[in-house]
Amino acid sequence: VGVSLNPGIFLGVFIFVLVIALVGVFLSTPIMRGKIGELKISLLLKSITKKYNGKVINDVIILDENNKSSQIDHVFFHTSGIYVIETKNYSGRIYGKEDQKEWTQVLAFGNSKNKLYNPLFQNYTHLVRLEKVFGNIKTLNSCVVFVKGNINYIEANNVYTPYSLKRFILNNINDTIYTENEINDLYN
């Protein structure tokens, strides 16, 4: 008994597999991985604002006096403080210390090592630029979150997993540093 394949079905299956493969390649690019990580943290912050109020601005672009831009992933405004959040969606082990200019990403069981600019330094630049925008500001909280939770080899304060970032914010949620009006003014 011979089995014959309908050429239309074969072509349809081929196109479907090709589309799935292309989507997989597209989603695995560094830019898309970064955007996916930012989306995850954006949703986490949205869940906090839903229950505890507050306001979030995602993907903030600020120009300095020399027209040099800074892209800030998230700014979370709440009466408990203003949280400036830099999101990283790196795989592998990340090694770094608070005062090092570069950290190291280790992949493939140590066979691949990449340098990355210390995200705490990157976020410090964001804080300085926001202070210039806001003028007289009480406090800004610098937070760097590694979406994949791979912070075990990082020796630095203000570095979080998504869970520990949420816990940090919720531990401070009852503090009152800003009034509702101040938060609204800063947000606007």
Side-chain angles (χ1 to χ4, degrees):
V1 176
V3 177
S4 65
L5 275 175
N6 179 333
I9 292 174
F10 178 76
L11 183 60
V13 169
F14 175 76
I15 290 173
F16 176 76
V17 170
L18 183 62
V19 167
I20 295 298
L22 290 174
V23 167
V25 168
F26 176 71
L27 291 177
S28 68
T29 64
I31 290 172
M32 284 310 299
R33 281 195 314 266
K35 292 295 178 193
I36 290 167
E38 289 175 22
L39 176 62
K40 288 179 181 178
I41 300 307
S42 176
L43 293 172
L44 180 144
L45 294 170
K46 186 176 182 179
S47 74
I48 294 172
T49 61
K50 200 173 201 178
K51 189 169 183 180
Y52 299 97
N53 297 319
K55 299 175 183 304
V56 178
I57 300 177
N58 299 300
D59 199 20
V60 179
I61 305 291
I62 295 180
L63 297 176
D64 70 5
E65 58 277 355
N66 299 318
N67 264 353
K68 188 172 179 185
S69 67
S70 285
Q71 186 266 338
I72 303 171
D73 294 333
H74 318 278
V75 183
F76 173 61
F77 298 85
H78 190 268
T79 56
S80 66
I82 298 171
Y83 303 81
V84 181
I85 302 165
E86 178 62 28
T87 303
K88 297 298 179 190
N89 196 13
Y90 291 115
S91 297
R93 288 185 177 176
I94 309 298
Y95 293 87
K97 294 184 179 180
E98 198 154 338
D99 60 344
Q100 289 177 315
K101 184 177 181 180
E102 291 183 328
W103 290 1
T104 304
Q105 175 193 37
V106 178
L107 299 165
F109 304 102
N111 292 321
S112 175
K113 295 180 180 179
N114 304 305
K115 296 290 184 187
L116 59 127
Y117 183 63
N118 182 336
L120 292 168
F121 290 4
Q122 180 183 3
N123 215 32
Y124 177 76
T125 301
H126 300 161
L127 298 176
V128 169
R129 296 216 170 124
L130 279 175
E131 285 175 339
K132 287 181 181 176
V133 169
F134 291 142
N136 188 16
I137 190 138
K138 295 177 186 174
T139 184
L140 292 172
N141 296 292
S142 176
C143 304
V144 173
V145 61
F146 281 80
V147 175
K148 295 190 176 169
N150 47 351
I151 65 171
N152 295 342
Y153 302 96
I154 298 173
E155 299 174 28
N157 294 315
N158 305 320
V159 177
Y160 303 94
T161 67
Y163 174 77
S164 64
L165 174 68
K166 184 175 182 178
R167 196 173 65 231
F168 171 70
I169 293 171
L170 294 182
N171 284 342
N172 293 304
I173 211 82
N174 292 321
D175 295 347
T176 303
I177 295 173
Y178 297 98
T179 66
E180 288 286 341
N181 286 339
E182 287 173 319
I183 287 299
N184 289 331
D185 289 345
L186 290 167
Y187 175 81
N188 290 331

